[in-house]
Amino acid sequence: MSSAPEEISGKMVELLPRLRRFARSLSRNQHDADDLVQSAVERAWRHLDQLKPGANLGSWMFGIMKNAWIDDRRARSRRGEVALPDDSGEHPAVTPMDANTSLWSVSEAMDKLPEEQRLAVALVLVEGLSYKEASELLEIPMGTLTSRLARGRTALAAALGDAS
C-alpha cells in the first residue's frame, strides 16, 4: 500500500454515503445497514495492508462489505435470527405532495426486487461500478450480471409505472 493512512482515511470518509447506500441495498434495514458500514470500515482498517497499490478503494470496500454481509447472514442463520426489513407499512409522514415521494417509490420498488437483481442494480446503476467491477465483486460472469440488470430494470420500470 503506497497511500498514507490519512489519505485513505479521507477517501473512506468520502465513500461513506455510497457505502451506506449499498449497505441499505444489502440489508434493507437502516439499522443493520449502519452496523454493516461500521463492520466493513473496521475490517478495511484491520486489513489495510491487503489493499493493492493503485487498486480502486471503492471496489475494495464494496467487496469487504459484501463479504461482511454474507458472514452476518450465515451467523444469523446459525443462530436462527431473521433480519426484518424496516416498517413494511406505508410511510405516514410522506404525502403525495412531498417532493421526495418518488424517492420513496424507488426505494420501495428496489426493496421488492429479488436479492440478486437488487445487488446488481445497486452496484451498477446506483453506485456506478463498471460491469466488470460488479461482476467480479458479486463473483458472477459478466453475462449473468447483464441479465440480472436487464430483469431488474424491467421490474423497476413496471413497479414505477414506466413500463413501455
Side-chain angles (χ1 to χ4, degrees):
M1 178 193 68
S2 61
S3 298
E6 297 81 24
E7 181 182 343
I8 291 173
S9 176
K11 288 179 181 178
M12 276 191 194
V13 169
E14 290 173 13
L15 276 172
L16 286 176
R18 292 180 64 204
L19 291 171
R20 189 157 192 270
R21 226 178 5 247
F22 183 55
R24 187 74 188 257
S25 294
L26 289 168
S27 68
R28 300 187 319 195
N29 177 288
Q30 178 180 349
H31 303 293
D32 288 344
D34 291 342
D35 292 345
L36 187 55
V37 170
Q38 181 176 346
S39 176
V41 170
E42 288 174 359
R43 284 184 186 197
W45 277 113
R46 271 196 316 269
H47 302 287
L48 202 54
D49 60 321
Q50 294 177 10
L51 179 62
K52 296 176 184 162
N56 182 323
L57 180 64
S59 294
W60 186 67
M61 291 293 300
F62 285 130
I64 290 171
M65 181 172 291
K66 182 197 78 154
N67 291 334
W69 175 67
I70 290 169
D71 291 347
D72 181 63
R73 286 181 57 197
R74 286 180 182 153
R76 285 177 190 243
S77 69
R78 283 193 301 270
R79 291 188 308 254
E81 293 179 23
V82 177
L84 297 175
D86 278 338
D87 178 8
S88 58
E90 294 295 317
H91 299 287
V94 178
T95 67
M97 303 299 282
D98 287 342
N100 292 329
T101 301
S102 62
L103 293 177
W104 283 112
S105 299
V106 172
S107 177
E108 289 173 352
M110 283 281 291
D111 283 349
K112 292 177 183 173
L113 289 176
E115 181 177 299
E116 66 274 356
Q117 292 174 19
R118 188 177 71 253
L119 296 182
V121 168
L123 288 171
V124 174
L125 301 179
V126 177
E127 297 307 328
L129 268 63
S130 71
Y131 282 31
K132 182 177 189 251
E133 289 173 321
S135 68
E136 289 173 357
L137 191 125
L138 295 173
E139 300 173 350
I140 58 174
M142 185 92 64
T144 303
L145 176 72
T146 56
S147 70
R148 288 179 183 179
L149 278 170
R151 289 192 313 270
R153 282 184 181 125
T154 301
L156 283 174
L160 297 172
D162 295 335
S164 44

